[in-house]
Amino acid sequence: MVHPVVDGYYSSMLTTRSTFSFFTVDPTTGRHLPIELPIPQACDAIEDEINFYSAHILRLKTAFNDLAPISTLPSEILCAIFSLATDISDCDASSSATSFGVVINISHVCRHWRNVALNCPTLWSTLDFNAMTPECIAQCIDKSQKAPLAISWLTGGTYPPHHGVDKDSSVAVVLRNQLWRVRSLSLGFQFYQEDAVLRQLDVPALQLESLDIRCAEPTRLSAEAHKAVLQLVQNTVPEKLRRLELTCVLIPWSQVTLPHLTHLSISGKLYFDASRTDPRLLLSAISRMPMLEDLEIVDALDLSSMDPSTEPIHITLPCLRSLQATEHVFNCIQILDCIIAPSLSYLGLCVRGYEDTIPVIHHFASAVAAKAVGFCSFGTVNVNFGSSKSQRRICAYSDVYDIPTILDEACQCSSALSVCFDNFRPELHAAVWELCQRLPLASVRTLLVEGMEFWAMLLPKAHNVESLLVGGMGGELTLPEVLTPSPSRLESKEDDRVYEHLNVLPRLTHLALARCNFGWTTLGALAEETLLTRLLGYLAARAEEGMGIKNLYLFHTTGLSQEDIDILKNNVDHLDW
């Protein structure tokens, strides 16, 4: 409703003024000409003028954009740039939701980019069924034309299945109809629809290069569903399938032959025997995969079928670069003894240790050391046996890293060897010591040791160490005699043991102490011989012999006053506290 005042003003204006004068452009001469029209016709003429100039400005902007350097590129090159921006060149469909969002943003930049994007089939070939409606899926499939598809789909997102059942059923039909050109398929099952979906996938998958099937619970899949997975694998072209990942899915490995497979990941679920397979059958199938480059086995092998007295089969995988296993120590030993990998550059193990593994863990240490000898020399070694589960780990790196870099959790240093001990008991420390002793440490330049009482016994073998970190648990660590001989012995140069200790690490210039109590007194030592006094004596002795410590790092230490810090600063070039 118009306000009465406004309505009255407008009515009086119409009664007192029947025409309106304005300027328009003569289309022939381009000159501005005055014109006077009745008000109704003037409004229409002005609106026409606005539309004319708006269209003219849009044409000018389009012409301006056409002169931009990126607009002069051929559409094929621009489409390739868009594909790189969305990471669609990778056959993995796990990031398809993000890629689809980038495609939408690209198509809304300008008219030229939109036309190029809409006519680039590969941009619409990476689909996340969970993030799309059935209508959107249909449009993307239409725009992708005949380009190979990368599809990711997690079925059963709600439980109980009150919502999404109709969508899942319709999407399963779409997947079946397009399976002939699917390049990458990632399926996840949470609560339902496993059998119904897998039974739809009984058609040839001629373009399939990557297959990932994950089930939340191993008991969810029926025997028919497991057979459907096997049939899907057999319906692929063996020369094309390069990547296979199965989680809580059992298939008869004796019927699997994939000579061109480069990546294999088999995962079960801890404490669920139903998700495990016979290790000898799986290893026999792996022997028929000579092109394998990455192998990962996680809680997937049955322990009851493993006979330690059985002679292991030997598998030669000349292309294998990465081997990862999270298994019981028996299965880890079997994997290490069976697989011969001359090109191996990364070995990652997580050992499930139990009470009956004490005599076997020594065999495990020998098997790991045999594989580590084939690596290039180690530049950095981190032996961490702290109190938490994640800290019981031995990591070796080919490159030389400084101590702050290794301690920085945000820094992703690439290790060559990683051995983690799950449910590890203190009685097995001797076996870990044997593993450390068997590792090649002569070329190590950076050594980090935490939570190991016998750590000093590693130093004679790692005599080229330049950076050393020593840490303990509970703030009660005291440095052994190898680093901090008592002041009374330092005063007597007739004691050859002092200089023998000093020469253990002749190149040491960076020393770091973590979680140490500098006020702690060693059992049997004099009352004044705290860790601080012993460290000061050690620093002075090394400086006297021309092997002074340049940088001293202190992390989470106790028992130090500001006066103590000032004294330490006078004995090193740099102190980071």
Side-chain angles (χ1 to χ4, degrees), residues 75-89 95-108 112-128 132 139-145 147-150 181 183:
S75 298
E76 295 79 7
I77 295 180
L78 196 59
C79 184
I81 295 174
F82 294 162
S83 299
L84 292 175
T86 55
D87 292 329
I88 291 178
S89 57
S95 59
S96 55
T98 304
S99 300
F100 182 72
V102 175
V103 171
I104 297 299
N105 292 335
I106 288 175
S107 64
H108 285 71
H112 177 57
W113 281 28
R114 181 173 180 81
N115 291 334
V116 172
L118 292 177
N119 291 279
C120 182
T122 57
L123 286 181
W124 309 96
S125 62
T126 300
L127 310 178
D128 181 9
M132 300 177 178
Q139 292 180 10
C140 289
I141 289 178
D142 182 63
K143 290 183 175 66
S144 64
Q145 299 179 14
L149 300 176
R181 64 179 177 119
R183 170 173 51 95

Tab-separated table of all heavy atoms in Angstrom, residues 75-89 95-108 112-128 132 139-145 147-150 181 183:
chain	number	residue	atom	x	y	z
A	75	SER	N	41.044	-23.497	-25.917
A	75	SER	CA	40.130	-24.104	-24.938
A	75	SER	C	40.690	-25.403	-24.381
A	75	SER	O	40.471	-25.736	-23.208
A	75	SER	CB	38.765	-24.352	-25.585
A	75	SER	OG	38.185	-23.127	-26.008
A	76	GLU	N	41.439	-26.168	-25.192
A	76	GLU	CA	41.995	-27.432	-24.722
A	76	GLU	C	43.008	-27.199	-23.598
A	76	GLU	O	43.035	-27.937	-22.614
A	76	GLU	CB	42.662	-28.182	-25.878
A	76	GLU	CG	41.719	-28.635	-26.963
A	76	GLU	CD	41.336	-27.514	-27.923
A	76	GLU	OE1	41.932	-26.417	-27.792
A	76	GLU	OE2	40.476	-27.725	-28.783
A	77	ILE	N	43.833	-26.157	-23.742
A	77	ILE	CA	44.828	-25.870	-22.708
A	77	ILE	C	44.131	-25.347	-21.448
A	77	ILE	O	44.497	-25.715	-20.319
A	77	ILE	CB	45.859	-24.847	-23.227
A	77	ILE	CG1	46.651	-25.451	-24.388
A	77	ILE	CG2	46.790	-24.400	-22.105
A	77	ILE	CD1	47.691	-24.533	-24.973
A	78	LEU	N	43.135	-24.510	-21.624
A	78	LEU	CA	42.401	-23.990	-20.469
A	78	LEU	C	41.692	-25.125	-19.728
A	78	LEU	O	41.657	-25.154	-18.484
A	78	LEU	CB	41.396	-22.935	-20.928
A	78	LEU	CG	40.809	-22.027	-19.842
A	78	LEU	CD1	41.903	-21.265	-19.126
A	78	LEU	CD2	39.805	-21.055	-20.448
A	79	CYS	N	41.168	-26.077	-20.469
A	79	CYS	CA	40.520	-27.229	-19.842
A	79	CYS	C	41.532	-28.063	-19.069
A	79	CYS	O	41.234	-28.564	-17.976
A	79	CYS	CB	39.831	-28.071	-20.903
A	79	CYS	SG	38.906	-29.472	-20.239
A	80	ALA	N	42.746	-28.201	-19.605
A	80	ALA	CA	43.791	-28.941	-18.886
A	80	ALA	C	44.172	-28.231	-17.595
A	80	ALA	O	44.417	-28.879	-16.565
A	80	ALA	CB	45.016	-29.119	-19.790
A	81	ILE	N	44.194	-26.903	-17.614
A	81	ILE	CA	44.494	-26.139	-16.398
A	81	ILE	C	43.399	-26.340	-15.365
A	81	ILE	O	43.670	-26.526	-14.168
A	81	ILE	CB	44.662	-24.641	-16.745
A	81	ILE	CG1	45.889	-24.433	-17.636
A	81	ILE	CG2	44.779	-23.806	-15.471
A	81	ILE	CD1	46.045	-23.018	-18.126
A	82	PHE	N	42.159	-26.330	-15.803
A	82	PHE	CA	41.048	-26.575	-14.877
A	82	PHE	C	41.156	-27.970	-14.258
A	82	PHE	O	40.870	-28.158	-13.066
A	82	PHE	CB	39.714	-26.435	-15.606
A	82	PHE	CG	39.408	-25.034	-16.084
A	82	PHE	CD1	38.446	-24.804	-17.055
A	82	PHE	CD2	40.094	-23.950	-15.557
A	82	PHE	CE1	38.160	-23.520	-17.479
A	82	PHE	CE2	39.816	-22.657	-15.981
A	82	PHE	CZ	38.853	-22.447	-16.946
A	83	SER	N	41.550	-28.943	-15.055
A	83	SER	CA	41.687	-30.305	-14.537
A	83	SER	C	42.770	-30.384	-13.482
A	83	SER	O	42.625	-31.074	-12.467
A	83	SER	CB	41.990	-31.274	-15.682
A	83	SER	OG	40.944	-31.284	-16.625
A	84	LEU	N	43.874	-29.667	-13.680
A	84	LEU	CA	44.936	-29.646	-12.675
A	84	LEU	C	44.464	-28.961	-11.399
A	84	LEU	O	44.828	-29.368	-10.289
A	84	LEU	CB	46.169	-28.931	-13.232
A	84	LEU	CG	46.914	-29.641	-14.370
A	84	LEU	CD1	48.035	-28.766	-14.886
A	84	LEU	CD2	47.459	-30.984	-13.904
A	85	ALA	N	43.645	-27.922	-11.548
A	85	ALA	CA	43.153	-27.205	-10.370
A	85	ALA	C	42.246	-28.073	-9.517
A	85	ALA	O	42.141	-27.879	-8.299
A	85	ALA	CB	42.402	-25.941	-10.795
A	86	THR	N	41.585	-29.044	-10.113
A	86	THR	CA	40.682	-29.915	-9.369
A	86	THR	C	41.306	-31.265	-9.031
A	86	THR	O	40.640	-32.139	-8.463
A	86	THR	CB	39.400	-30.149	-10.183
A	86	THR	OG1	39.759	-30.665	-11.475
A	86	THR	CG2	38.630	-28.859	-10.355
A	87	ASP	N	42.584	-31.466	-9.400
A	87	ASP	CA	43.287	-32.718	-9.097
A	87	ASP	C	42.562	-33.926	-9.666
A	87	ASP	O	42.589	-35.016	-9.098
A	87	ASP	CB	43.470	-32.907	-7.591
A	87	ASP	CG	44.437	-31.901	-7.003
A	87	ASP	OD1	45.361	-31.487	-7.712
A	87	ASP	OD2	44.259	-31.550	-5.835
A	88	ILE	N	41.930	-33.769	-10.774
A	88	ILE	CA	41.199	-34.870	-11.374
A	88	ILE	C	42.134	-35.821	-12.110
A	88	ILE	O	41.769	-36.942	-12.431
A	88	ILE	CB	40.105	-34.320	-12.307
A	88	ILE	CG1	39.029	-33.641	-11.466
A	88	ILE	CG2	39.471	-35.382	-13.175
A	88	ILE	CD1	37.927	-33.032	-12.256
A	89	SER	N	43.370	-35.399	-12.342
A	89	SER	CA	44.302	-36.286	-13.021
A	89	SER	C	44.601	-37.519	-12.191
A	89	SER	O	45.004	-38.555	-12.706
A	89	SER	CB	45.606	-35.536	-13.318
A	89	SER	OG	46.163	-35.013	-12.122
A	95	SER	N	38.696	-37.562	-2.960
A	95	SER	CA	38.512	-36.118	-2.800
A	95	SER	C	37.548	-35.562	-3.837
A	95	SER	O	37.650	-34.420	-4.243
A	95	SER	CB	39.869	-35.402	-2.925
A	95	SER	OG	40.468	-35.662	-4.183
A	96	SER	N	36.614	-36.372	-4.269
A	96	SER	CA	35.723	-35.956	-5.348
A	96	SER	C	34.794	-34.826	-4.937
A	96	SER	O	34.427	-33.990	-5.757
A	96	SER	CB	34.909	-37.156	-5.837
A	96	SER	OG	34.221	-37.758	-4.750
A	97	ALA	N	34.381	-34.782	-3.656
A	97	ALA	CA	33.483	-33.714	-3.216
A	97	ALA	C	34.150	-32.357	-3.343
A	97	ALA	O	33.571	-31.388	-3.823
A	97	ALA	CB	33.036	-33.963	-1.777
A	98	THR	N	35.421	-32.274	-2.920
A	98	THR	CA	36.159	-31.021	-3.049
A	98	THR	C	36.363	-30.653	-4.507
A	98	THR	O	36.245	-29.486	-4.893
A	98	THR	CB	37.512	-31.148	-2.330
A	98	THR	OG1	37.286	-31.512	-0.969
A	98	THR	CG2	38.278	-29.845	-2.385
A	99	SER	N	36.675	-31.631	-5.340
A	99	SER	CA	36.894	-31.369	-6.757
A	99	SER	C	35.631	-30.831	-7.417
A	99	SER	O	35.698	-29.902	-8.224
A	99	SER	CB	37.353	-32.651	-7.458
A	99	SER	OG	38.559	-33.121	-6.905
A	100	PHE	N	34.488	-31.388	-7.059
A	100	PHE	CA	33.237	-30.922	-7.661
A	100	PHE	C	32.949	-29.479	-7.256
A	100	PHE	O	32.478	-28.685	-8.078
A	100	PHE	CB	32.091	-31.840	-7.235
A	100	PHE	CG	30.777	-31.463	-7.833
A	100	PHE	CD1	30.516	-31.682	-9.174
A	100	PHE	CD2	29.782	-30.880	-7.057
A	100	PHE	CE1	29.301	-31.327	-9.734
A	100	PHE	CE2	28.565	-30.534	-7.602
A	100	PHE	CZ	28.326	-30.762	-8.959
A	101	GLY	N	33.243	-29.114	-6.009
A	101	GLY	CA	33.055	-27.729	-5.592
A	101	GLY	C	33.943	-26.776	-6.353
A	101	GLY	O	33.525	-25.663	-6.709
A	102	VAL	N	35.167	-27.187	-6.644
A	102	VAL	CA	36.078	-26.342	-7.423
A	102	VAL	C	35.553	-26.173	-8.844
A	102	VAL	O	35.631	-25.080	-9.426
A	102	VAL	CB	37.493	-26.957	-7.422
A	102	VAL	CG1	38.424	-26.167	-8.338
A	102	VAL	CG2	38.060	-26.978	-6.003
A	103	VAL	N	35.012	-27.235	-9.404
A	103	VAL	CA	34.457	-27.144	-10.762
A	103	VAL	C	33.314	-26.136	-10.809
A	103	VAL	O	33.224	-25.323	-11.741
A	103	VAL	CB	33.984	-28.535	-11.226
A	103	VAL	CG1	33.214	-28.422	-12.537
A	103	VAL	CG2	35.164	-29.462	-11.390
A	104	ILE	N	32.452	-26.169	-9.827
A	104	ILE	CA	31.339	-25.215	-9.790
A	104	ILE	C	31.865	-23.782	-9.698
A	104	ILE	O	31.363	-22.871	-10.384
A	104	ILE	CB	30.410	-25.528	-8.607
A	104	ILE	CG1	29.770	-26.910	-8.778
A	104	ILE	CG2	29.334	-24.473	-8.463
A	104	ILE	CD1	28.917	-27.048	-10.009
A	105	ASN	N	32.874	-23.570	-8.866
A	105	ASN	CA	33.439	-22.217	-8.749
A	105	ASN	C	34.066	-21.759	-10.065
A	105	ASN	O	33.935	-20.591	-10.452
A	105	ASN	CB	34.486	-22.192	-7.628
A	105	ASN	CG	33.866	-22.376	-6.261
A	105	ASN	OD1	32.699	-22.075	-6.056
A	105	ASN	ND2	34.647	-22.877	-5.315
A	106	ILE	N	34.757	-22.660	-10.743
A	106	ILE	CA	35.389	-22.302	-12.015
A	106	ILE	C	34.338	-21.899	-13.044
A	106	ILE	O	34.514	-20.929	-13.786
A	106	ILE	CB	36.241	-23.479	-12.526
A	106	ILE	CG1	37.494	-23.626	-11.670
A	106	ILE	CG2	36.625	-23.291	-13.988
A	106	ILE	CD1	38.335	-24.835	-12.015
A	107	SER	N	33.233	-22.623	-13.074
A	107	SER	CA	32.208	-22.349	-14.083
A	107	SER	C	31.431	-21.067	-13.810
A	107	SER	O	30.602	-20.678	-14.643
A	107	SER	CB	31.233	-23.533	-14.160
A	107	SER	OG	30.541	-23.683	-12.933
A	108	HIS	N	31.685	-20.399	-12.672
A	108	HIS	CA	30.973	-19.161	-12.353
A	108	HIS	C	31.887	-17.936	-12.389
A	108	HIS	O	31.513	-16.870	-11.902
A	108	HIS	CB	30.322	-19.256	-10.969
A	108	HIS	CG	29.089	-20.105	-10.947
A	108	HIS	ND1	29.129	-21.470	-11.070
A	108	HIS	CD2	27.766	-19.770	-10.842
A	108	HIS	CE1	27.897	-21.947	-11.015
A	108	HIS	NE2	27.049	-20.958	-10.894
A	112	HIS	N	33.284	-16.956	-20.614
A	112	HIS	CA	34.224	-17.767	-21.382
A	112	HIS	C	34.613	-19.021	-20.601
A	112	HIS	O	34.608	-20.136	-21.142
A	112	HIS	CB	35.459	-16.933	-21.728
A	112	HIS	CG	36.518	-17.707	-22.460
A	112	HIS	ND1	36.271	-18.360	-23.642
A	112	HIS	CD2	37.831	-17.944	-22.166
A	112	HIS	CE1	37.368	-18.956	-24.067
A	112	HIS	NE2	38.323	-18.719	-23.175
A	113	TRP	N	34.933	-18.835	-19.319
A	113	TRP	CA	35.311	-19.984	-18.512
A	113	TRP	C	34.140	-20.956	-18.364
A	113	TRP	O	34.339	-22.176	-18.355
A	113	TRP	CB	35.772	-19.514	-17.130
A	113	TRP	CG	37.176	-18.989	-17.129
A	113	TRP	CD1	37.833	-18.414	-18.168
A	113	TRP	CD2	38.082	-19.002	-16.023
A	113	TRP	NE1	39.091	-18.048	-17.794
A	113	TRP	CE2	39.277	-18.392	-16.476
A	113	TRP	CE3	37.991	-19.427	-14.716
A	113	TRP	CZ2	40.382	-18.225	-15.642
A	113	TRP	CZ3	39.084	-19.273	-13.875
A	113	TRP	CH2	40.270	-18.676	-14.331
A	114	ARG	N	32.953	-20.431	-18.268
A	114	ARG	CA	31.788	-21.303	-18.134
A	114	ARG	C	31.575	-22.135	-19.403
A	114	ARG	O	31.309	-23.342	-19.318
A	114	ARG	CB	30.542	-20.472	-17.831
A	114	ARG	CG	29.288	-21.320	-17.647
A	114	ARG	CD	28.104	-20.487	-17.181
A	114	ARG	NE	26.911	-21.290	-17.005
A	114	ARG	CZ	26.654	-22.031	-15.933
A	114	ARG	NH1	27.530	-22.072	-14.953
A	114	ARG	NH2	25.545	-22.738	-15.849
A	115	ASN	N	31.718	-21.499	-20.558
A	115	ASN	CA	31.552	-22.231	-21.806
A	115	ASN	C	32.612	-23.323	-21.949
A	115	ASN	O	32.311	-24.434	-22.401
A	115	ASN	CB	31.610	-21.270	-22.995
A	115	ASN	CG	30.402	-20.346	-23.044
A	115	ASN	OD1	29.327	-20.681	-22.547
A	115	ASN	ND2	30.580	-19.170	-23.635
A	116	VAL	N	33.843	-22.988	-21.563
A	116	VAL	CA	34.915	-23.988	-21.639
A	116	VAL	C	34.649	-25.122	-20.666
A	116	VAL	O	34.793	-26.305	-20.999
A	116	VAL	CB	36.286	-23.336	-21.369
A	116	VAL	CG1	37.373	-24.403	-21.261
A	116	VAL	CG2	36.636	-22.352	-22.474
A	117	ALA	N	34.256	-24.787	-19.441
A	117	ALA	CA	34.023	-25.811	-18.417
A	117	ALA	C	32.872	-26.731	-18.801
A	117	ALA	O	32.946	-27.952	-18.624
A	117	ALA	CB	33.751	-25.150	-17.066
A	118	LEU	N	31.794	-26.154	-19.326
A	118	LEU	CA	30.641	-26.974	-19.681
A	118	LEU	C	30.930	-27.910	-20.841
A	118	LEU	O	30.256	-28.934	-21.013
A	118	LEU	CB	29.440	-26.084	-20.026
A	118	LEU	CG	28.841	-25.299	-18.854
A	118	LEU	CD1	27.704	-24.409	-19.346
A	118	LEU	CD2	28.340	-26.241	-17.770
A	119	ASN	N	31.933	-27.581	-21.637
A	119	ASN	CA	32.284	-28.415	-22.785
A	119	ASN	C	33.563	-29.224	-22.540
A	119	ASN	O	34.173	-29.708	-23.492
A	119	ASN	CB	32.464	-27.539	-24.031
A	119	ASN	CG	31.152	-26.951	-24.513
A	119	ASN	OD1	30.369	-27.597	-25.205
A	119	ASN	ND2	30.893	-25.705	-24.131
A	120	CYS	N	33.943	-29.367	-21.269
A	120	CYS	CA	35.115	-30.162	-20.897
A	120	CYS	C	34.625	-31.390	-20.122
A	120	CYS	O	34.345	-31.297	-18.915
A	120	CYS	CB	36.079	-29.325	-20.057
A	120	CYS	SG	37.592	-30.203	-19.601
A	121	PRO	N	34.474	-32.533	-20.760
A	121	PRO	CA	33.875	-33.697	-20.080
A	121	PRO	C	34.639	-34.165	-18.850
A	121	PRO	O	34.023	-34.617	-17.883
A	121	PRO	CB	33.875	-34.769	-21.181
A	121	PRO	CG	33.937	-34.014	-22.470
A	121	PRO	CD	34.761	-32.805	-22.171
A	122	THR	N	35.964	-34.052	-18.855
A	122	THR	CA	36.730	-34.580	-17.721
A	122	THR	C	36.448	-33.820	-16.433
A	122	THR	O	36.628	-34.371	-15.339
A	122	THR	CB	38.235	-34.518	-18.034
A	122	THR	OG1	38.604	-33.162	-18.344
A	122	THR	CG2	38.573	-35.410	-19.210
A	123	LEU	N	36.010	-32.554	-16.528
A	123	LEU	CA	35.725	-31.786	-15.321
A	123	LEU	C	34.519	-32.329	-14.568
A	123	LEU	O	34.386	-32.118	-13.359
A	123	LEU	CB	35.480	-30.316	-15.666
A	123	LEU	CG	36.702	-29.482	-16.052
A	123	LEU	CD1	36.274	-28.047	-16.325
A	123	LEU	CD2	37.754	-29.527	-14.978
A	124	TRP	N	33.658	-33.023	-15.258
A	124	TRP	CA	32.415	-33.514	-14.650
A	124	TRP	C	32.447	-35.024	-14.435
A	124	TRP	O	31.414	-35.644	-14.207
A	124	TRP	CB	31.229	-33.143	-15.536
A	124	TRP	CG	31.219	-31.702	-15.896
A	124	TRP	CD1	31.711	-31.129	-17.029
A	124	TRP	CD2	30.732	-30.631	-15.095
A	124	TRP	NE1	31.564	-29.768	-16.992
A	124	TRP	CE2	30.957	-29.424	-15.805
A	124	TRP	CE3	30.119	-30.559	-13.844
A	124	TRP	CZ2	30.598	-28.184	-15.319
A	124	TRP	CZ3	29.758	-29.309	-13.349
A	124	TRP	CH2	29.993	-28.153	-14.088
A	125	SER	N	33.651	-35.592	-14.491
A	125	SER	CA	33.774	-37.046	-14.417
A	125	SER	C	34.142	-37.545	-13.031
A	125	SER	O	34.212	-38.759	-12.821
A	125	SER	CB	34.821	-37.532	-15.429
A	125	SER	OG	36.100	-36.986	-15.127
A	126	THR	N	34.394	-36.660	-12.064
A	126	THR	CA	34.692	-37.063	-10.692
A	126	THR	C	33.473	-36.764	-9.830
A	126	THR	O	33.122	-35.603	-9.618
A	126	THR	CB	35.931	-36.311	-10.163
A	126	THR	OG1	37.050	-36.613	-10.988
A	126	THR	CG2	36.240	-36.743	-8.736
A	127	LEU	N	32.836	-37.802	-9.324
A	127	LEU	CA	31.531	-37.661	-8.690
A	127	LEU	C	31.562	-38.205	-7.268
A	127	LEU	O	32.081	-39.300	-7.021
A	127	LEU	CB	30.465	-38.415	-9.491
A	127	LEU	CG	30.421	-38.145	-11.005
A	127	LEU	CD1	29.361	-39.009	-11.651
A	127	LEU	CD2	30.171	-36.677	-11.272
A	128	ASP	N	30.987	-37.433	-6.351
A	128	ASP	CA	30.749	-37.888	-4.983
A	128	ASP	C	29.241	-38.017	-4.812
A	128	ASP	O	28.528	-37.026	-4.659
A	128	ASP	CB	31.336	-36.893	-3.978
A	128	ASP	CG	31.131	-37.335	-2.540
A	128	ASP	OD1	30.690	-38.495	-2.349
A	128	ASP	OD2	31.396	-36.555	-1.617
A	132	MET	N	25.719	-35.187	-3.769
A	132	MET	CA	24.916	-34.806	-4.924
A	132	MET	C	23.518	-35.391	-4.824
A	132	MET	O	23.324	-36.492	-4.300
A	132	MET	CB	25.566	-35.300	-6.227
A	132	MET	CG	26.954	-34.764	-6.492
A	132	MET	SD	27.632	-35.497	-8.005
A	132	MET	CE	29.206	-34.641	-8.098
A	139	GLN	N	22.937	-34.864	-14.308
A	139	GLN	CA	23.497	-33.776	-15.106
A	139	GLN	C	25.002	-33.942	-15.302
A	139	GLN	O	25.527	-33.722	-16.402
A	139	GLN	CB	23.192	-32.434	-14.449
A	139	GLN	CG	21.718	-32.058	-14.473
A	139	GLN	CD	21.459	-30.714	-13.815
A	139	GLN	OE1	22.393	-29.980	-13.501
A	139	GLN	NE2	20.191	-30.393	-13.610
A	140	CYS	N	25.704	-34.334	-14.245
A	140	CYS	CA	27.153	-34.515	-14.367
A	140	CYS	C	27.479	-35.668	-15.301
A	140	CYS	O	28.425	-35.584	-16.098
A	140	CYS	CB	27.764	-34.760	-12.992
A	140	CYS	SG	27.791	-33.313	-11.912
A	141	ILE	N	26.724	-36.749	-15.226
A	141	ILE	CA	26.959	-37.872	-16.128
A	141	ILE	C	26.704	-37.454	-17.571
A	141	ILE	O	27.432	-37.846	-18.492
A	141	ILE	CB	26.071	-39.061	-15.719
A	141	ILE	CG1	26.580	-39.661	-14.399
A	141	ILE	CG2	26.043	-40.119	-16.813
A	141	ILE	CD1	25.753	-40.809	-13.894
A	142	ASP	N	25.688	-36.621	-17.784
A	142	ASP	CA	25.409	-36.133	-19.132
A	142	ASP	C	26.528	-35.230	-19.632
A	142	ASP	O	26.958	-35.348	-20.782
A	142	ASP	CB	24.071	-35.397	-19.132
A	142	ASP	CG	23.704	-34.900	-20.516
A	142	ASP	OD1	23.517	-35.744	-21.415
A	142	ASP	OD2	23.628	-33.667	-20.712
A	143	LYS	N	27.041	-34.341	-18.773
A	143	LYS	CA	28.116	-33.429	-19.182
A	143	LYS	C	29.436	-34.180	-19.384
A	143	LYS	O	30.283	-33.750	-20.175
A	143	LYS	CB	28.306	-32.325	-18.133
A	143	LYS	CG	27.179	-31.306	-18.066
A	143	LYS	CD	27.514	-30.228	-17.044
A	143	LYS	CE	26.459	-29.116	-17.036
A	143	LYS	NZ	25.147	-29.619	-16.571
A	144	SER	N	29.629	-35.273	-18.669
A	144	SER	CA	30.887	-36.015	-18.809
A	144	SER	C	30.961	-36.787	-20.111
A	144	SER	O	32.040	-37.313	-20.453
A	144	SER	CB	31.052	-36.983	-17.631
A	144	SER	OG	30.038	-37.974	-17.637
A	145	GLN	N	29.839	-36.889	-20.828
A	145	GLN	CA	29.769	-37.582	-22.118
A	145	GLN	C	30.282	-39.015	-21.968
A	145	GLN	O	29.706	-39.811	-21.236
A	145	GLN	CB	30.536	-36.784	-23.167
A	145	GLN	CG	29.968	-35.383	-23.374
A	145	GLN	CD	30.724	-34.578	-24.380
A	145	GLN	OE1	31.545	-35.100	-25.149
A	145	GLN	NE2	30.476	-33.275	-24.402
A	147	ALA	N	33.593	-39.717	-21.005
A	147	ALA	CA	34.865	-39.682	-20.280
A	147	ALA	C	34.861	-40.707	-19.152
A	147	ALA	O	33.815	-40.989	-18.555
A	147	ALA	CB	35.105	-38.284	-19.709
A	148	PRO	N	36.011	-41.306	-18.814
A	148	PRO	CA	36.077	-42.243	-17.682
A	148	PRO	C	35.685	-41.557	-16.378
A	148	PRO	O	36.037	-40.403	-16.130
A	148	PRO	CB	37.555	-42.678	-17.661
A	148	PRO	CG	38.031	-42.435	-19.058
A	148	PRO	CD	37.290	-41.236	-19.544
A	149	LEU	N	34.955	-42.273	-15.528
A	149	LEU	CA	34.400	-41.706	-14.302
A	149	LEU	C	35.206	-42.136	-13.081
A	149	LEU	O	35.737	-43.247	-13.034
A	149	LEU	CB	32.941	-42.143	-14.121
A	149	LEU	CG	31.948	-41.750	-15.219
A	149	LEU	CD1	30.588	-42.345	-14.915
A	149	LEU	CD2	31.858	-40.230	-15.352
A	150	ALA	N	35.275	-41.242	-12.103
A	150	ALA	CA	35.822	-41.544	-10.775
A	150	ALA	C	34.703	-41.313	-9.770
A	150	ALA	O	34.262	-40.177	-9.568
A	150	ALA	CB	37.033	-40.663	-10.459
A	181	ARG	N	32.392	-47.577	-17.849
A	181	ARG	CA	33.391	-46.524	-18.067
A	181	ARG	C	33.914	-45.921	-16.758
A	181	ARG	O	34.511	-44.854	-16.768
A	181	ARG	CB	32.815	-45.413	-18.942
A	181	ARG	CG	31.638	-44.638	-18.345
A	181	ARG	CD	31.202	-43.568	-19.298
A	181	ARG	NE	30.053	-42.809	-18.868
A	181	ARG	CZ	30.077	-41.484	-18.659
A	181	ARG	NH1	31.186	-40.806	-18.847
A	181	ARG	NH2	28.978	-40.854	-18.300
A	183	ARG	N	36.494	-45.409	-14.009
A	183	ARG	CA	37.955	-45.560	-13.888
A	183	ARG	C	38.383	-45.803	-12.454
A	183	ARG	O	39.308	-46.567	-12.185
A	183	ARG	CB	38.628	-44.288	-14.429
A	183	ARG	CG	40.115	-44.184	-14.170
A	183	ARG	CD	40.675	-42.979	-14.903
A	183	ARG	NE	39.914	-41.785	-14.626
A	183	ARG	CZ	40.232	-40.895	-13.687
A	183	ARG	NH1	41.277	-41.089	-12.928
A	183	ARG	NH2	39.489	-39.816	-13.504
